[in-house]
Amino acid sequence: MSGKLLLVDDDRYILNPLIRLFTADGYHCTAAVTGADALRLLDTEPFDLMLLDIGLPDIDGLTVCRRTRMKHHLPIVLLTARDASSDKVIGLEVGADDYITKPFEPGEILARVRAHLRRTREYGILERERAASKITVGNLVVDLDLHDAVTYGNPVGLTSREFETLHLLARSSGRALSNEWIFEQVWGYDAELGMKALVVCVRRIRMKIEADPNEPKLLVTVRGYGYRLSDGGGD
């Protein structure tokens, strides 16, 4: 598998081995040692995935992740020495797709990156093969060409994971999907955070598509089961 990776870490003892690891596996790697460099590179070059350390010397990785999500849809995998569950949730809240705690095994990080790139590519192929490029549910349009959702003519800025989740629900509009089914279809592997990742993802989607995220009318919870995308007309 090939791809273009942006590796962001100020610790050369971690960064250089990562470059060697991914280069040996056929990836093209670009390195950045500050958050400012990472943001500049993202605005000037296309990347397939970003591996991002949280503890950067200028702009912290969470801020870099949040700013990246305002413009770009590539998968973001966070690296950190912290292992608290709350830190992992914050990472997901600001738009990360995955979270790896230092120290890590080279085989694990390689497998995680491969999985994200494979899922992104497979998902793109499947969507290009579908006849319909847009799915409309009430005032919400899930646009496959934009890889985003549109409300009242305005793109909402979904991450790749958020788009996959919303599109899965849109394809079954009006029908409840179980938490387990959604998680399996979107994440595709036993993620460390489990169902908490889905809860965070749904909360972020609601913040972008709902008039009042605390009283959702589009992406509604089916208590004890899962979620359903409705036309906003109420239950």
Side-chain angles (χ1 to χ4, degrees):
M1 179 180 292
S2 62
K4 190 172 181 180
L5 310 182
L6 177 58
L7 309 179
V8 189
D9 200 312
D10 64 317
D11 187 344
R12 289 289 182 180
Y13 289 100
I14 292 176
L15 185 60
N16 290 338
L18 284 175
I19 293 173
R20 291 193 295 269
L21 175 69
F22 288 113
T23 300
D25 205 50
Y27 296 96
H28 175 76
C29 299
T30 299
V33 296
T34 67
D37 283 344
L39 292 171
R40 176 182 57 79
L41 286 165
L42 286 164
D43 285 339
T44 57
E45 300 180 40
F47 291 96
D48 297 304
L49 181 143
M50 176 166 62
L51 199 62
L52 174 64
D53 182 40
I54 286 183
L56 298 173
D58 56 342
I59 308 170
D60 68 87
L62 294 177
T63 300
V64 173
C65 183
R66 183 167 51 247
R67 292 183 183 178
T68 299
R69 281 296 174 232
M70 295 177 182
K71 298 181 180 181
H72 309 286
H73 298 293
L74 78 167
I76 299 175
V77 179
L78 293 179
L79 291 177
T80 182
R82 307 171 200 168
D83 58 3
S85 178
S86 59
D87 289 329
K88 297 176 183 179
V89 171
I90 292 172
L92 293 172
E93 289 279 10
V94 299
D97 295 281
D98 205 352
Y99 200 110
I100 299 177
T101 303
K102 300 176 185 177
F104 47 79
E105 292 293 330
E108 177 192 5
I109 196 167
L110 193 59
R112 295 277 191 98
V113 166
R114 285 173 178 167
H116 283 290
L117 292 175
R118 182 172 59 250
R119 288 188 59 76
T120 298
R121 288 168 180 170
E122 289 175 353
Y123 190 81
I125 291 170
L126 287 172
E127 297 320 310
R128 286 193 294 271
E129 291 175 347
R130 296 183 186 279
S133 64
K134 296 180 182 179
I135 302 174
T136 301
V137 183
N139 293 317
L140 178 72
V141 178
V142 180
D143 192 316
L144 309 186
D145 294 328
L146 287 178
H147 205 71
D148 202 355
V150 177
T151 58
Y152 301 101
N154 300 311
V156 303
L158 297 174
T159 68
S160 293
R161 192 76 77 189
E162 292 162 7
F163 180 81
E164 289 184 39
T165 302
L166 186 60
H167 183 229
L168 183 69
L169 288 160
R171 296 205 313 263
S172 301
S173 174
R175 182 162 61 91
L177 301 181
S178 72
N179 292 322
E180 293 77 12
W181 171 255
I182 297 171
F183 186 83
E184 180 182 347
Q185 295 301 307
V186 175
W187 274 260
Y189 61 93
D190 187 18
E192 186 177 351
L193 288 174
M195 290 301 164
K196 187 178 295 184
L198 175 59
V199 172
V200 172
C201 184
V202 167
R203 182 161 65 243
R204 286 178 53 83
I205 293 171
R206 283 172 170 164
M207 291 174 64
K208 297 175 180 181
I209 69 171
E210 299 282 0
D212 181 359
N214 295 318
E215 295 290 337
K217 301 297 183 184
L218 294 168
L219 207 176
V220 298
T221 300
V222 179
R223 192 175 301 278
Y225 183 73
Y227 299 98
R228 182 179 74 250
L229 192 67
S230 74
D231 61 6
D235 295 330

